[in-house]
Amino acid sequence: MPPALVVLTLALLLGIQPVTTDLYLPALPALTTGFGAPVAQAQLTLTALLLAFGLSQLVLGPLSDRFGRRPVLLWGLAAYVLAAVGAALAPSMALLIGWRTLQGAAMGASVMAARAIVRDLYQPADGARVMSRALTGLGVIACLCAPIGGLVSDLAGWRVALLVPALFGAVALGLVAWRFDESLARRDPQALQPATLVRTWATVLRHPTFLAFCALTTASYALLFTFLAASSFVFIQVLGLTKTQYGLVMLWNSLSYIGGTFVCRYWLARHGVRRSVARGAVLTLSGGLLMAGLAFAGIHSTAAIVGPLTLMMLGHGVHQPCGQSGAVGPFPQAAGAASALNGFVMMLAVFGVGGWLGTHLDGTVLPLTYGMGFWSVCVALLAWTVVQKHG
């Protein structure tokens, strides 16, 4: 496949995650009110999706090592489109959570396969650069998600906002069916045997490079998820922004992330993976401490959150490409399983974060600001210690 087609395919496969999580965020307060549901139950539409996303990868990763990336992608994307339509038509909050859970499980095929495809086609150092380009595409998609979600929700209601991901999934499915060639050179016929699975998972989980980069991506995504899960309530209900204004905040968030992916490629060419990660941690920690410090000082405003957030998203644009490619780098023959374990650990962590936020959102900015401050410290410690030693 031409390199441009590979990057485009990866961008769509990875971009399905912000389309699924970010696009409906402006509609989340209206959705909650429409069903007369408590905030904690509304949070389950996101956290249950992400838990299913993480768990499904444990199955889908070995399946892709056994049968190839293409069939897993085709079935997964088809199920995703079906689940998105079901979520848009759900008559109750319970059924909405159920459809969103299925949507998350199907989304696992797309994101897991994208990470594995990078390892199928590239060595780790080149893979980080390709992943950075694909994540730039993800950032562009994420830029559009919240503004489109806010606009669609305002003009047509939250149900239509939930239907938009089905259209995106159909486009990704069409591209994979039409142009994607199988990337796995040699299938593993024993990948699904229980003994082989246990050995593979044990090998991956014992590898210090995997553990270092998996921890980095987990802490970095937990930081982002803290913002995603709490931001609509904080900006709309606490700080009084309209849905359109909130969409612009999310747009800026995505633009900052895109900027981080460009910084990542610039640093990778000059400093390598370890030093790039260490530099990115300076941005992350500076933003986290500034945000938490302003909140502690009683400065509760949009600018006091968005300014430090910019620094953290620049760092996030460095840590995710390096971390995701680094986690699967040591496992060319088991990239699906390694990608799956990385994704599972990330989603297990954010499920815990979502559960905590669901019970601690208290009508102030503090759960968001203190939570992001905490995770920024975790990212910096990991980037400056275990990644430097084992990365």
Side-chain angles (χ1 to χ4, degrees):
M1 292 179 290
L5 176 62
V6 173
V7 171
L8 174 62
T9 303
L10 291 173
L12 288 178
L13 295 179
L14 294 166
I16 206 167
Q17 188 168 355
V19 166
T20 309
T21 58
D22 295 14
L23 196 142
Y24 94 121
L25 289 178
L28 191 54
L31 179 157
T32 306
T33 303
F35 281 123
V39 171
Q41 193 174 19
Q43 287 290 323
L44 280 174
T45 62
L46 187 57
T47 53
L49 176 142
L50 289 174
L51 182 62
F53 172 54
L55 286 170
S56 70
Q57 293 178 66
L58 294 178
V59 177
L60 295 169
L63 273 173
S64 74
D65 287 335
R66 171 63 184 88
F67 296 108
R69 318 301 181 203
R70 180 181 163 85
V72 171
L73 278 172
L74 291 173
W75 283 101
L77 287 168
Y80 176 88
V81 173
L82 174 65
V85 173
L89 300 177
S92 68
M93 180 63 84
L95 284 175
L96 174 61
I97 292 170
W99 281 113
R100 290 280 290 177
T101 301
L102 177 59
Q103 197 174 356
M107 184 174 72
S110 179
V111 178
M112 176 281 305
R115 298 192 194 111
I117 288 166
V118 171
R119 186 62 189 92
D120 292 342
L121 301 177
Y122 304 99
Q123 293 300 313
D126 294 329
R129 285 188 285 272
V130 172
M131 180 64 81
S132 177
R133 293 189 183 95
L135 290 177
T136 299
L138 176 149
V140 173
I141 293 169
C143 276
L144 301 174
C145 285
I148 290 175
L151 183 63
V152 170
S153 178
D154 280 337
L155 295 179
W158 60 264
R159 289 190 182 276
V160 179
L162 287 177
L163 190 60
V164 175
L167 300 177
F168 184 90
V171 170
L173 176 60
L175 179 65
V176 171
W178 178 43
R179 295 298 304 275
F180 177 72
D181 297 329
E182 179 58 58
S183 63
L184 184 61
R186 188 176 65 186
R187 294 167 178 79
D188 182 359
Q190 298 180 328
L192 294 175
Q193 295 181 4
T196 302
L197 273 176
V198 171
R199 279 198 307 271
T200 301
W201 286 341
T203 299
V204 172
L205 290 172
R206 286 198 302 262
H207 201 290
T209 299
F210 172 83
L211 293 176
F213 282 116
C214 182
L216 178 70
T217 56
T218 299
S220 181
Y221 193 75
L223 181 149
L224 174 65
F225 181 78
T226 300
F227 177 75
L228 294 178
S231 60
S232 60
F233 292 100
V234 168
F235 283 107
I236 295 174
Q237 295 185 344
V238 178
L239 298 177
L241 269 62
T242 66
K243 291 178 184 177
T244 301
Q245 290 171 328
Y246 170 67
L248 292 175
V249 170
M250 296 297 287
L251 172 62
W252 178 253
N253 179 64
S254 299
L255 288 172
S256 302
Y257 174 69
I258 291 173
T261 63
F262 280 100
V263 170
C264 178
R265 291 200 290 277
Y266 178 82
W267 283 349
L268 281 171
R270 287 156 181 79
H271 307 295
V273 172
R274 293 182 188 177
R275 292 176 65 189
S276 297
V277 167
R279 286 166 177 254
V282 174
L283 297 170
T284 303
L285 184 61
S286 299
L289 293 181
L290 180 58
M291 182 184 289
L294 289 172
F296 181 77
I299 304 173
H300 299 171
S301 67
T302 299
I305 295 176
V306 173
L309 175 69
T310 303
L311 295 174
M312 286 186 276
M313 287 303 100
L314 287 171
H316 190 67
V318 176
H319 295 137
Q320 284 299 315
C322 293
Q324 290 186 25
S325 59
V328 301
F331 311 104
Q333 301 306 318
S339 171
L341 282 171
N342 185 30
F344 171 71
V345 174
M346 290 169 64
M347 294 309 113
L348 192 63
V350 301
F351 182 79
V353 172
W356 182 85
L357 284 171
T359 58
H360 286 78
L361 288 174
D362 56 2
T364 73
V365 304
L366 297 181
L368 183 151
T369 54
Y370 287 173
M372 295 189 75
F374 168 79
W375 286 111
S376 73
V377 173
C378 294
V379 168
L381 289 175
L382 291 166
W384 294 335
T385 56
V386 293
V387 172
Q388 300 306 307
K389 184 177 181 180
H390 300 297

